[in-house]
Amino acid sequence: MHVRFAAALGAAALAAALLTTGAQAHEGHDHGETPASSATPAAPRGEAASAEVELVAAVREGVLSVYLDRFATNEPITGASVAVEAPDGPVTLKPEPEGRYTVAVPWLGKQGRHDLLLTLTVDGADDVLPVTIVVPSSPEAGGVPDGAATHRSERLLPADPLLSGVALLAFALGVAATLLVRRRRAAPAVAVLALALPLAVATARAHEGDDHGEAGGAPPAAAGSDLARRQPDGSVFVPKPVQRILAIRTVVSEAESHGRTTELPGRIVPDPNASGVVQSSVGGRLSAPSGGFPRLGTAVRKGTVLAYVTPPVQRVDVSDMRQRQGELDQQIATVERRVARYRRLVGSGAVSQVQLEEATDELQGLRDRRAALDTVRQEPEPLVAPVDGVVAESTAVAGQMAAPGAVVFQVVDPARLWVEALSFDAVAGASAATARLADGRVLQLAYQGAGLADRNQSVPVQFAIRGDTSGLRIGQFVTVQVGTGGREHGLALPRASVVRSSSGQEVVYEHVTAERFAARPVRTTTLDGGRVLIEAGLSPGKRIVTQGAELLDQVR
């Protein structure tokens, strides 16, 4: 009975000692900080807005910075006049680049609520906007820095050296009681005691005053500077300086009636009236003109010689030509003697003047035929540009054998290009049509006509490109939007406004407040080459981001 009681007493004392030393080890321990609330910006700030102007005022290191933007478009306002009511009277702010205005305000460094009155002059119109800025307490005064929400775990037990000594004494007494009852195992118990006491003391000292939340740890990024970050509710906080960098632009959504469109695949083709191909009429060997073959993109004029084609002469043809030349030479010699004789006799009247003229014409014909044979053997065929334009395609290589009818050059006028689309339905008289390139560029099109014969079970439809055609290439694929005549009522937004979230849902970002943006899930349909129609998820009168939405979606 005494043995069991002593053993239980020793176990209880040992447990109490371990618990006490564990609590002492965690005295002042801080495992980390709770997530900082990203809703509060680093610098104290306030905002105000009117029908035309949106304003954000921030105080940092005794300097008041005021950011002015257009309320509807979020464009920075430059060239405005801004004044703030100070204790000594109105103070005019200094204009900075990108719609920022600054002034030193030492009286705003005090803790508490500050109500400011800002007087603005924008585009000749005056406006007065009140702004409230709350300056939190400083760390020296016992407060927590704005935006740096820190949390420390409470100490389980107070840091009392006497309590630690009592715990160690209880542990030693428990072990001693065990030794008195069971002397046979005294040696192992003494060894355990010798190891446990230093370990308990070392553990308590190692954790005394430990704080993992502060030692070597950097403060949250949100508490150090104005950074864009995502809020707990899913919205995105973007300070005005960051909005300037990202070039965020917005538009106020409006419900209107829009024409219904259909989407067709297409590609860019040359205008048949302002382009042409250069082909060889006879097979032969290519040779370059003076200056060499024209390079791709070289501007040429109609009639410019681009290359020469020298027809090959076979051995059999050479033999026949030489035989024919010999026969012509013999005939020429015979006719020449006849003409010489007729000239001597025409004076005596033995030969008429008509006979002399006929012999002379026959001699001239023989000489022309003889010269033509030499020309066929020596003179190449010139290949000339059929229209004014630039060389869009070239296969010319010196010494290359060109087959009859092969395309050697293609000349295109880059200012006159068409788009050929394929439609599964007949499109007649489409007045409104646009084409969208892969980079988002939109081209205005003019309907030219549609084919009556199917091509791959579709109808080819041709459009002329209006406006600037720089940077376009023949064969480049585009997406054509053609009006069908129907009407739809809804909100039209640029395609750049719609982004896909991580879940695959299409969303747009609403400019809720001056520095906060919220994602709104929407359902869209194609309106034209540069716009989409919002079918559901958005109401009129909202400020929607049209530029920089993709960047906002990447903020975490």
Side-chain angles (χ1 to χ4, degrees):
M1 182 68 179
H2 295 286
V3 174
R4 294 180 180 178
F5 176 76
L9 179 61
L14 178 62
L18 291 178
L19 289 176
T20 306
T21 54
Q24 181 69 16
H26 284 74
E27 180 180 350
H29 186 64
D30 186 359
H31 288 281
E33 300 174 346
T34 59
S37 174
S38 57
T40 304
R45 62 215 308 119
E47 61 184 59
S50 65
E52 300 294 335
V53 178
E54 186 174 58
L55 177 149
V56 172
V59 179
R60 181 184 294 275
E61 298 179 355
V63 176
L64 174 66
S65 298
V66 175
Y67 300 88
L68 289 183
D69 295 312
R70 306 281 179 186
F71 181 80
T73 63
N74 202 47
E75 293 178 314
I77 299 177
T78 58
S81 176
V82 182
V84 61
E85 291 294 335
D88 297 335
V91 178
T92 302
L93 279 69
K94 176 184 177 182
E96 303 285 348
E98 298 184 348
R100 176 170 173 253
Y101 303 83
T102 61
V103 67
V105 284
W107 46 273
L108 275 182
K110 299 180 181 179
Q111 174 187 356
R113 177 189 178 97
H114 300 272
D115 294 325
L116 305 181
L117 192 64
L118 297 174
T119 304
L120 313 177
T121 302
V122 179
D123 299 333
D126 296 332
D127 199 354
V128 178
L129 295 178
V131 178
T132 300
I133 298 179
V134 178
V135 178
S137 60
S138 61
E140 292 77 4
V144 181
D146 190 12
T150 58
H151 175 76
R152 298 186 177 229
S153 58
E154 297 180 356
R155 297 178 177 179
L156 298 178
L157 292 176
D160 191 352
L162 179 59
L163 181 61
S164 300
V166 172
L168 293 177
L169 179 59
F171 174 73
L173 290 176
V175 175
T178 305
L179 292 177
L180 291 175
V181 176
R182 306 183 66 178
R183 296 179 180 178
R184 297 179 181 179
R185 298 183 181 180
V190 171
V192 172
L193 179 61
L195 293 175
L197 286 177
L199 180 61
V201 175
T203 304
R205 291 182 178 178
H207 285 74
E208 184 176 352
D210 189 20
D211 186 0
H212 293 288
E214 293 180 348
S225 59
D226 290 345
L227 297 178
R229 54 194 178 272
R230 193 166 292 273
Q231 309 283 51
D233 60 355
S235 62
V236 180
F237 172 76
V238 184
K240 280 299 180 181
V242 180
Q243 294 185 34
R244 300 291 199 270
I245 297 175
L246 301 182
I248 304 298
R249 297 293 180 267
T250 61
V251 67
V252 179
S253 58
E254 297 180 1
E256 298 177 349
S257 179
H258 306 277
R260 189 185 300 272
T261 62
T262 183
E263 190 173 280
L264 307 176
R267 63 187 182 92
I268 297 177
V269 298
D271 185 346
N273 299 317
S275 63
V277 295
V278 180
Q279 297 174 294
S280 174
S281 59
V282 295
R285 193 176 303 278
L286 291 177
S287 59
S290 59
F293 294 114
R295 300 183 303 274
L296 292 176
T298 302
V300 296
R301 304 288 297 178
K302 182 178 180 179
T304 303
V305 177
L306 307 180
Y308 290 101
V309 177
T310 303
V313 180
Q314 304 295 332
R315 291 183 178 272
V316 177
D317 296 336
V318 172
S319 178
D320 293 341
M321 292 176 63
R322 288 178 178 176
Q323 182 180 357
R324 186 58 180 164
Q325 288 175 352
E327 293 175 356
L328 290 175
D329 290 341
Q330 184 179 3
Q331 293 177 10
I332 290 173
T334 301
V335 175
E336 284 179 347
R337 289 193 298 269
R338 186 191 307 169
V339 170
R341 186 171 61 254
Y342 283 175
R343 286 177 179 172
R344 290 194 303 268
L345 297 176
V346 72
S348 61
V351 178
S352 65
Q353 185 65 29
V354 175
Q355 291 177 327
L356 176 61
E357 293 176 355
E358 290 178 352
T360 303
D361 293 341
E362 183 180 359
L363 177 61
Q364 184 62 36
L366 292 173
R367 289 175 176 173
D368 292 342
R369 293 168 60 186
R370 179 65 175 80
L373 285 177
D374 294 337
T375 302
V376 170
R377 292 185 57 186
Q378 299 177 1
E379 184 176 355
E381 176 190 5
L383 302 181
V384 299
V387 295
D388 296 340
V390 298
V391 178
E393 184 179 352
S394 174
T395 60
V397 178
Q400 175 186 356
M401 293 297 296
V407 177
V408 182
F409 297 97
Q410 182 181 17
V411 181
V412 175
D413 186 354
R416 299 175 60 180
L417 298 177
W418 285 12
V419 170
E420 184 177 79
L422 298 179
S423 174
F424 294 100
D425 298 325
V427 178
S431 58
T434 57
R436 187 180 74 256
L437 300 173
D439 58 359
R441 182 179 174 186
V442 178
L443 307 175
Q444 300 298 324
L445 305 179
Y447 176 79
Q448 298 297 315
L452 298 178
D454 285 352
R455 182 188 301 174
N456 298 328
Q457 300 181 353
S458 59
V459 179
V461 186
Q462 292 182 335
F463 304 88
I465 299 178
R466 296 177 177 175
D468 185 20
T469 59
S470 59
L472 301 181
R473 305 184 307 274
I474 303 300
Q476 192 172 4
F477 290 101
V478 297
T479 301
V480 180
Q481 302 291 336
V482 182
T484 59
R487 306 292 297 179
E488 289 189 49
H489 189 78
L491 305 175
L493 292 176
R495 286 181 175 268
S497 299
V498 183
V499 297
R500 286 194 177 273
S501 63
S502 58
S503 62
Q505 172 70 45
E506 290 184 332
V507 299
V508 297
Y509 277 89
E510 179 186 352
H511 196 179
V512 181
T513 60
E515 297 181 313
R516 192 167 70 90
F517 300 83
R520 307 299 186 197
V522 294
R523 185 176 72 249
T524 66
T525 184
T526 301
L527 184 59
D528 53 36
R531 298 180 300 169
V532 295
L533 190 68
I534 306 299
E535 294 182 333
L538 190 65
S539 58
K542 304 296 184 181
R543 290 189 296 170
I544 304 302
V545 176
T546 59
Q547 180 178 317
E550 187 68 30
L551 300 175
L552 291 179
D553 194 57
Q554 301 301 321
V555 176
R556 294 293 181 267

